[in-house]
């Protein structure tokens, strides 16, 4: 009868040590290219042209990276010629300029420090980002230990987490959910699609990201972003740490 | 000639004039005349009854005498005065309502027929109540049945209406036959048809006669009252009849059955045994539970109300039964309480049921359907009608401060006093009946939450609802009268109960219960002469005298003065409850407003999951709401679902699927069906003796002759 208990004890704690110590497990993040200086402009041009989404842009011998567009295809890394340098970190969360420009201070709401309730809205997601968000509630990441809770109703939500490029059919429900949330409230765009539409938009069926509709406070790049990147963004939005500005 | 005499004679004369005027008047002014005459005659009747209940001299008017049958005269005692008041209170608003409602039949049916029939019905009801001779009683009883039949059969070109009305007539006449036999047994020893002489002669009747009279009169009158198992006509006649007729039927005609039961078994031949009382109690409780079960699952507003009438009459009859048992066991004080409670409930039922039927009629007229699954959201389009319907629904669901609560509370408390009875078996019967009534009360709330929520709240479930408009002011006004009365009877029972106590006087021998029920607690002292000291002391202990001298009137209903060590059994203060409710509600509002003064308020739309609009298919329906009841009690409902899945073209293509749901009423299944089956079996077997040959019949004659000769030889 106590088998499950003993088994559980024998298994030990599987939760990541993330906020206290960096998670070192291999493959925990797909990584992002780092801005790289090449030998000459031609080489930089060649590397930048390999990117299918236009995340890389060459100026002179330097190649700059727009993380918002990167889909981790590794074409800039795995090829016969020169390669971008790569980082395997996951603290990608970014606070966009617009978040500071709307009369709201960037220093986040002190009320959010202890607990944040999150409403996840699937605005036309392919399922990848949702999968990663679902992983957050699993024992390995266990977002509840940091004071984050998923809620099914906007009435209890402090944070609107949007995934997907915001298809036309989801525009109204997304706005309605935002309207229904009590003040103060924050919006987090998760994934490449939510940041700029990616391959889905702007098009006849979808818009070009959440920012077209709602004031986005925190952006999480990645296609999909790994759970730790989302966890990092959550810590940024709750004011536990400062967001990195790239 | 006293005041009440004059009013009664005036009433009959007035109705006669009304019938003549209606017959000669042009059709155009019909509805208006109906409202005027009906309301005026109703008011006259209420006045006549009120004069007697207030302590006036009972009516005793000698009419002409018929050779061989004796003198006929009118007499009104307080009991019939109460029934008269109730009938008048129903007729008054319903007549006004009819003026607007009857217009829908203009040109298709004869409005004159409706007016004349309802006047005649009214006159027969008044005659039935104000006579004290068996002959006039039976005549009036037949009049009630006949004119009710004509009114139910108003839309006579509908086949279902005709068959429903016919069913009503057949059952009413069968009931009358039983009543006639009971009266013949009663009048056997008396030399005239007068109630007084019958009463005197009947007191020496043997137990066999007593049982026969009880059974025949209880079930005979019970047909009109609609008790189980003779209730089959109610749920069919009400949906078929016009709404104003339903209101009259439910508000007055059912009461005539109750009047008959009470007059025969409480007054003419008071029950001296416990067993008949227990039967009445159990039949009442059974009617209540069966009625409310079917009401909860019915989706047609009027069918639902009809089933609910069976329930309410069941509660009243259970109260009568308890009173009969208490009276037969020598507890006249408890019997008086239960009769008072039952009469109170009957009055309440007449008021709120006529209100609800008129509301259902208004809805039917405005929307064109009574199906709760197709209504919804009417509060937006018919706000006043909704409020009055809500008042009726709250009353019938026994929610304070409305009247249903007071009478059901009294009935429950009265039945709980069965602990003081000696016999263990009778106590068990009381407990069973009490449990049934408790379940009934809970289901009644479910039922009327469903009726109001599905009919008047939520989203419109059909386009017709959105086109509905508020009825004309006069119709709404006629709904307001019973609604206001329901509220008044709910908050002022301390004034009503003494009057009801006076009405119960002919039935119950010992009646000082009004003093016990409604002690003058809030009136300034001295009242100590009227109340025993221990009683007053007990009240001081629970703080009931707070506000003494400040608050007017008698605010407290006390069930019963208990034993020497426990004086007060149960108490409630309905008049002050509403005061308290208002204070609490208003106080909460003020506190919330003050507390939230510094906070900003943002009003947002209700969260619907981000839908563009809420389609009515997604909302709760009446069927869905009542389905738990249907599932829990499926042993009683025994639904038969026929699914026809064979209409397929081939293996892969399914054609339309037919699903049929059949339900036979439990009383029909368990009582009527076996009866008809055995009657048919008997007649089939008897038919075999008819061979069609003349020789056989001559043989039968010969055998009969021989049998009689042999019999005569030996005797």
């Amino acid at each position: 009868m106590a088998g499950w208990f003993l088994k559980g004890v024998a298994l030990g704690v599987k939760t990541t040590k993330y906020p206290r110590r960096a998670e070192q497990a291999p493959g925990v993040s797909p990584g992002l290219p780092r801005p790289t200086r090449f030998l000459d402009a031609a080489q930089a041009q060649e590397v930048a042209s390999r990117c299918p989404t236009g995340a890389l842009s060459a100026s002179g011998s330097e190649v700059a990276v727009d993380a918002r567009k990167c889909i981790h295809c590794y074409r800039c890394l795995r090829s016969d010629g020169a390669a971008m340098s790569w980082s395997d970190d996951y603290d990608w969360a970014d606070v966009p300029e617009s978040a500071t420009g709307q009369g709201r201070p960037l220093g986040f709401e002190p009320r959010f420090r202890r607990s944040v309730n999150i409403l996840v809205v699937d605005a036309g997601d392919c399922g990848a980002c949702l999968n990663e968000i679902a992983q957050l509630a699993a024992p390995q990441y266990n977002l509840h230990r940091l004071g984050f809770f998923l809620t099914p109703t906007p009435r209890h939500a402090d944070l609107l987490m949007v995934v997907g490029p915001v298809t036309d059919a989801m525009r109204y429900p997304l706005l309605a959910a935002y309207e229904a949330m009590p003040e103060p409230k924050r919006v987090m765009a998760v994934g490449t699609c939510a940041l700029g539409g990616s391959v889905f938009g702007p098009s006849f069926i979808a818009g070009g990201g959440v920012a077209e509709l709602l004031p986005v406070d925190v952006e999480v790049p990645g296609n999909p972003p790994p759970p730790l990147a989302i966890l990092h963004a959550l810590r940024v939005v709750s004011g536990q740490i400062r967001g990195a500005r790239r | 000639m006293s005041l009440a005499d004059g009013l009664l004679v005036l009433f009959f004369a007035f109705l006669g004039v009304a019938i003549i005027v209606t017959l000669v008047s042009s059709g155009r002014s019909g509805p208006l005349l109906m409202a005027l005459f009906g309301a005026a005659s109703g008011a006259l009747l209420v006045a006549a009854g009120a004069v007697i209940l207030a302590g006036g001299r009972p009516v005793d008017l000698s009419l002409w005498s018929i050779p061989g049958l004796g003198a006929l005269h009118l007499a009104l005692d307080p009991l019939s005065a109460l029934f008269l008041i109730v009938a008048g209170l129903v007729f008054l608003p319903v007549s006004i309502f009819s003026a607007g409602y009857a217009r829908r039949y203009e040109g298709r049916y004869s409005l004159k027929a409706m007016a004349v029939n309802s006047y005649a019905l009214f006159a027969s009801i008044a005659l039935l109540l104000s006579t004290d001779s068996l002959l006039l009683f039976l005549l009036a009883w037949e009049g009630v049945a006949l004119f009710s039949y004509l009114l139910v059969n108003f839309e006579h070109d509908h086949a279902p209406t005709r068959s429903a009305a016919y069913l009503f007539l057949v059952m009413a006449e069968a009931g009358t036959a039983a009543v006639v036999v009971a009266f013949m047994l009663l009048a056997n020893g008396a030399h005239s048809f007068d109630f007084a002489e019958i009463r005197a002669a009947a007191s020496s009747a043997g137990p066999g006669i007593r049982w026969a009279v009880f059974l025949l009169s209880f079930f005979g009158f019970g047909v009109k009252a609609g008790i189980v198992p003779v209730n089959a006509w109610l749920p069919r006649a009400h949906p078929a009849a016009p709404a104003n007729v339903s209101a009259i039927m439910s508000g007055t005609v059912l009461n005539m059955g109750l009047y008959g039961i009470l007059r025969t078994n409480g007054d003419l031949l008071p029950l001296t045994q416990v067993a008949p009382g227990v039967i009445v109690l159990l039949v009442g409780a059974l009617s209540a539970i069966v009625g409310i079960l079917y009401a909860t699952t019915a989706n047609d507003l009027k069918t639902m109300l009809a089933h609910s009438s069976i329930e309410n009459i069941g509660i009243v009859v259970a109260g009568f039964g308890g009173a009969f048992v208490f009276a037969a066991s020598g507890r006249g004080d408890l019997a008086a309480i239960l009769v008072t409670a039952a009469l109170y409930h009957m009055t309440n039922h007449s008021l709120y049921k006529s209100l609800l039927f008129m509301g259902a009629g208004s809805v039917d007229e405005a929307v064109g359907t009574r199906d709760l699954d197709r209504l919804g959201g009417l509060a937006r389009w018919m706000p006043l009608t909704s409020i009055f319907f809500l008042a009726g629904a709250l009353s019938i669901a026994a929610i304070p401060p409305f009247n249903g609560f007071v009478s059901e509370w009294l009935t429950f408390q009265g039945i709980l006093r069965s602990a003081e009875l000696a016999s263990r078996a009778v106590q068990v019967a009381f407990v069973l009946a009490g449990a049934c009534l408790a379940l009934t009360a809970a289901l009644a709330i479910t039922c009327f939450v469903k009726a109001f929520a599905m009919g008047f709240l939520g989203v419109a479930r059909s386009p017709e609802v959105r086109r509905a408009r508020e009825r004309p002011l006069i119709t709404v006004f006629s709904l307001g009268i019973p609604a206001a009365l329901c509220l008044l009877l709910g908050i002022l029972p301390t004034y009503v109960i003494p009057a009801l106590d006076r009405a119960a006087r002919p039935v119950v021998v010992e009646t000082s219960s009004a003093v016990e029920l409604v002690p003058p607690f809030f009136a300034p002292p001295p009242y100590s002469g009227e109340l025993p000291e221990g009683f007053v002391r007990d009240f001081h202990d629970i703080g009931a005298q707070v506000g003494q001298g400040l608050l007017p009137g008698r605010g407290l209903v006390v069930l019963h003065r208990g034993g020497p060590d426990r004086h007060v059994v149960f108490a409630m203060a309905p008049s002050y409850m509403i005061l308290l409710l208002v204070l609490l509600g208003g106080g909460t509002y003020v506190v919330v407003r003050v507390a939230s003064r510094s906070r900003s308020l943002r009003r947002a739309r209700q969260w619907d999951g981000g839908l563009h609009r809420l389609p009515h298919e997604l909302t709760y329906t009446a069927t869905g709401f009542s389905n738990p009841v249907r599932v829990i009690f499926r042993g009683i409902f025994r639904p038969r679902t026929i699914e026809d899945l064979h209409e397929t073209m081939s293996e892969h293509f399914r054609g339309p699927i037919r699903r049929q749901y059949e339900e036979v009423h439990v009383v029909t299944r368990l009582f009527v069906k076996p009866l008809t089956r055995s009657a048919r079996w008997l007649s089939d077997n008897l038919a075999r003796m008819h061979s069609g040959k003349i020789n056989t019949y001559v043989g039968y004659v010969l055998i009969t002759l021989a049998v009689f000769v042999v019999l005569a030889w030996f005797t």
Side-chain angles (χ1 to χ4, degrees):
Chain A
M1 170 234 159
W4 61 270
F5 175 72
L6 294 174
K7 213 166 151 187
V9 171
L11 202 61
V13 177
K14 290 288 175 194
T15 309
T16 175
K17 304 274 188 303
Y18 161 64
R20 276 182 286 125
R21 248 179 287 148
E23 180 61 55
Q24 301 289 349
V28 82
S29 162
L32 281 176
R34 253 194 299 231
T36 312
R37 177 186 293 276
F38 289 92
L39 294 175
D40 51 27
Q43 202 175 17
Q45 203 68 47
E46 189 270 325
V47 170
S49 70
R50 276 190 233 147
C51 183
T53 60
L56 304 182
S57 54
S59 61
S61 60
E62 292 218 15
V63 175
V65 178
D66 182 0
R68 297 157 49 94
K69 291 184 178 168
C70 179
I71 58 167
H72 327 291
C73 67
Y74 301 112
R75 282 177 66 164
C76 56
L77 187 67
R78 292 170 189 166
S79 117
D80 299 337
M84 294 290 284
S85 63
W86 200 263
S87 81
D88 279 338
D89 63 348
Y90 39 76
D91 39 356
W92 301 342
D94 192 12
V95 179
E97 299 288 343
S98 58
T100 59
Q102 297 196 329
R104 272 186 288 183
L106 192 60
F108 281 96
E109 195 66 37
R111 273 182 261 189
F112 287 170
R113 266 174 203 233
R114 303 258 174 215
S115 112
V116 175
N117 280 277
I118 306 160
L119 173 72
V120 181
V121 172
D122 169 4
D125 182 52
C126 68
C129 295
L130 278 181
N131 264 333
E132 304 297 322
I133 292 171
Q135 289 304 314
L136 281 176
Q140 281 79 2
Y141 297 102
N142 191 3
L143 81 169
H144 307 104
R145 74 205 151 102
L146 299 173
F148 301 110
F149 304 95
L150 297 171
T151 170
T153 162
R155 287 278 189 253
H156 301 163
D158 307 306
L159 175 69
L160 185 65
M161 193 187 271
V162 189
V163 292
V166 189
T167 54
D168 287 353
M170 282 306 290
R171 282 177 81 92
Y172 173 79
L174 184 62
L175 277 173
Y178 183 73
E179 283 297 312
M181 284 167 64
E183 298 277 357
K185 53 192 170 189
R186 298 285 181 265
V187 178
M188 180 194 280
V190 176
T192 316
C193 306
L195 296 184
S198 189
V199 295
F200 298 111
S203 70
F204 68 98
I205 199 73
V210 185
E212 288 183 354
L213 255 77
L214 302 173
V216 175
D217 299 283
V218 181
E219 296 179 336
V220 191
N223 188 30
L228 284 178
I230 302 170
L231 208 53
H232 174 251
L234 286 173
R235 295 184 69 222
V236 169
V237 87
S238 66
Q240 292 175 8
I241 51 172
R242 279 280 164 153
R245 179 164 297 281
R246 284 164 190 275
Chain B
M1 197 186 234
S2 72
L3 180 56
D5 291 5
L7 285 169
L8 200 62
V9 170
L10 193 60
F11 163 79
F12 283 116
F14 190 74
L15 272 187
V17 171
I19 290 176
I20 292 166
V21 168
T22 310
L23 283 178
V24 299
S25 73
S26 71
R28 186 84 56 79
S29 55
L32 193 68
L33 283 178
M34 207 187 323
L36 274 177
F37 282 127
S41 51
L44 274 176
L45 214 49
V46 172
V51 165
I52 291 172
L53 262 197
R57 201 163 55 83
V59 170
D60 197 2
L61 265 178
S62 286
L63 297 181
W64 54 93
S65 89
I66 297 174
L69 295 174
L72 303 177
H73 51 81
L74 296 181
L76 263 183
D77 62 355
L79 180 67
S80 14
L82 173 74
F83 280 83
L84 268 190
I85 290 179
V86 174
L89 284 181
V90 171
F91 256 92
L92 205 160
V94 173
S95 303
I96 301 174
F97 173 80
S98 304
Y101 185 79
R103 283 185 199 283
R104 69 187 309 202
Y105 298 114
E106 230 161 23
R108 289 190 295 146
Y109 300 99
S110 161
L111 293 190
K112 274 184 190 176
M114 178 185 264
V116 169
N117 281 334
S118 57
Y119 298 146
L121 176 63
F122 199 13
S124 346
I125 286 172
L127 185 63
L128 178 72
L129 294 172
S130 59
T131 181
D132 71 340
S133 122
L134 276 190
L135 196 69
L136 265 186
F137 186 95
L138 280 176
L139 268 177
W141 181 257
E142 279 299 272
V144 171
L146 198 66
F147 295 118
S148 303
Y149 162 73
L150 289 175
L151 283 171
V152 171
N153 203 15
F154 185 64
E155 292 177 60
H156 49 78
D157 52 1
H158 275 284
T161 306
R162 275 202 306 273
S163 84
Y166 184 64
L167 176 70
F168 165 69
L169 190 66
V170 167
M171 292 192 68
E173 290 308 315
T176 308
V179 167
V180 167
V181 175
F183 278 174
M184 275 152 72
L185 290 174
L186 264 179
N188 199 18
H191 297 293
S192 87
F193 289 113
D194 267 11
F195 280 174
E197 280 201 38
I198 288 172
R199 207 173 289 137
S203 57
S204 58
I209 297 291
R210 279 176 187 275
W211 266 102
V213 168
F214 160 69
L215 286 175
L216 285 168
S217 66
F218 179 56
F219 288 105
F221 285 121
V223 172
K224 275 278 189 4
I227 55 171
V228 166
V230 282
N231 58 347
W233 65 271
L234 257 164
R236 287 191 56 199
H238 277 305
N244 51 345
V245 173
S246 293
I248 292 173
M249 296 272 287
S250 229
T252 58
V253 174
L254 299 188
N255 290 355
M256 295 308 109
L258 296 175
Y259 175 74
I261 292 173
L262 206 54
R263 182 60 83 189
T264 318
N265 297 310
D267 181 26
L268 294 183
L269 183 63
L271 295 174
T272 49
Q273 285 166 299
V274 172
V278 173
I279 291 176
V280 175
L281 175 75
L282 290 180
V283 165
L286 205 63
S287 305
I289 190 83
V290 168
I292 197 64
L293 275 178
Y294 280 90
T296 311
T297 53
N299 280 345
D300 182 312
L301 209 47
K302 279 177 84 181
T303 313
M304 188 201 85
L305 291 174
H307 280 299
S308 146
S309 284
I310 300 174
E311 172 235 337
N312 278 284
I313 293 297
I315 295 175
V316 177
V317 168
F320 286 168
F324 291 153
V325 173
F326 281 132
S329 326
R331 292 302 305 266
D333 49 343
L334 292 176
I337 288 173
L338 266 175
V339 170
T340 309
L343 290 177
Y344 206 141
H345 197 75
M346 184 205 75
T347 311
N348 293 344
H349 171 248
S350 298
L351 289 173
Y352 52 62
K353 195 48 67 68
S354 55
L355 164 61
L356 290 171
F357 266 122
M358 288 192 283
S362 297
V363 169
D364 189 9
E365 214 184 345
V367 185
T369 180
R370 299 184 307 247
D371 188 356
L372 283 173
D373 277 342
R374 291 179 56 74
L375 295 174
L378 273 175
R380 214 163 118 198
W381 289 280
M382 305 171 73
L384 283 172
T385 308
S386 308
I387 288 175
F388 292 140
F389 194 92
L390 177 65
L394 286 176
S395 309
I396 198 167
I399 306 284
F402 286 92
N403 55 1
F405 173 73
V406 180
S407 51
E408 285 202 23
W409 184 86
L410 276 175
T411 310
F412 276 126
Q413 302 293 13
I415 283 176
L416 280 177
R417 305 294 288 165
S418 64
E420 293 176 16
L421 288 171
S423 160
R424 194 49 55 90
V426 175
Q427 281 182 0
V428 169
F430 268 78
V431 167
L432 280 178
C436 275
L437 292 184
L439 184 57
T440 305
L443 284 172
I445 294 179
T446 317
C447 180
F448 283 91
V449 164
K450 180 187 90 167
F452 186 73
M454 297 304 154
F456 295 88
L457 304 180
V459 296
R461 294 201 191 81
S462 60
E464 291 86 12
V465 172
R466 277 189 214 95
R467 288 197 287 273
R469 291 289 167 270
E470 188 67 89
R471 293 289 91 203
L473 209 59
I474 186 150
T475 308
V476 176
F477 171 72
S478 64
L479 289 175
I481 299 172
L485 284 172
C486 280
L487 188 62
L488 276 182
L489 282 178
I491 59 179
L492 296 175
T494 45
Y495 296 92
V496 181
I497 289 173
L500 288 177
D501 187 60
R502 226 165 290 138
R505 212 159 282 180
V507 190
V508 190
V509 184
E510 184 184 337
T511 51
S512 56
S513 68
V515 178
E516 290 188 18
L517 277 176
V518 190
F521 231 99
F522 293 98
Y527 48 70
S528 29
E530 210 175 325
L531 297 169
E533 200 187 327
F535 188 71
V536 175
R537 198 179 52 239
D538 270 14
F539 261 106
H540 276 264
D541 289 350
I542 59 172
Q545 81 292 355
V546 176
Q548 194 178 67
L550 287 175
L551 299 166
R554 309 171 163 217
L556 221 56
V557 179
V558 178
L559 182 69
H560 179 58
R561 201 185 295 157
D565 52 331
R566 198 155 159 265
H567 302 278
V568 179
V569 182
F570 294 105
M572 68 166 175
S575 317
Y576 300 119
M577 192 154 60
I578 186 154
L579 226 68
L580 199 68
L581 277 176
V582 169
L583 279 179
L584 280 177
T588 312
Y589 178 75
V590 168
V591 166
V592 167
R593 279 308 288 267
V594 167
S596 64
R597 208 172 27 183
S598 58
R599 289 164 185 249
S600 66
L601 187 70
R602 187 167 69 96
R603 293 198 181 278
R605 268 191 58 201
Q606 146 197 18
W607 174 243
D608 53 4
L611 294 170
H612 286 272
R613 72 183 174 82
L614 197 63
H616 68 82
E617 292 89 343
L618 287 185
T619 60
Y620 221 0
T621 59
T623 312
F625 188 85
S626 58
N627 203 43
V629 175
R630 209 172 281 130
V631 170
I632 292 168
F633 295 98
R634 67 177 173 278
I636 293 174
F637 291 117
R638 292 275 180 84
R640 211 154 63 89
T641 315
I642 305 161
E643 281 186 58
D644 196 354
L645 302 174
H646 303 297
E647 295 177 13
T648 54
M649 293 158 75
S650 72
E651 281 290 309
H652 306 291
F653 298 100
R654 282 258 160 110
I657 294 172
R658 196 160 58 94
R659 202 153 193 272
Q660 214 171 332
Y661 184 84
E662 266 184 20
E663 212 176 79
V664 183
H665 195 285
V666 61
V667 172
T668 312
R669 196 171 62 232
L670 296 182
F671 177 76
V672 181
K673 279 270 170 67
L675 214 64
T676 51
R677 208 177 300 133
S678 51
R680 196 161 288 173
W681 177 84
L682 200 67
S683 55
D684 278 352
N685 281 325
L686 283 181
R688 284 196 199 147
M689 66 188 280
H690 293 284
S691 63
K693 288 180 199 152
I694 197 150
N695 299 359
T696 325
Y697 293 102
V698 172
Y700 290 151
V701 171
L702 200 63
I703 290 169
T704 315
L705 196 65
V707 167
F708 274 102
V709 165
V710 170
L711 277 178
W713 190 270
F714 282 107
T715 54

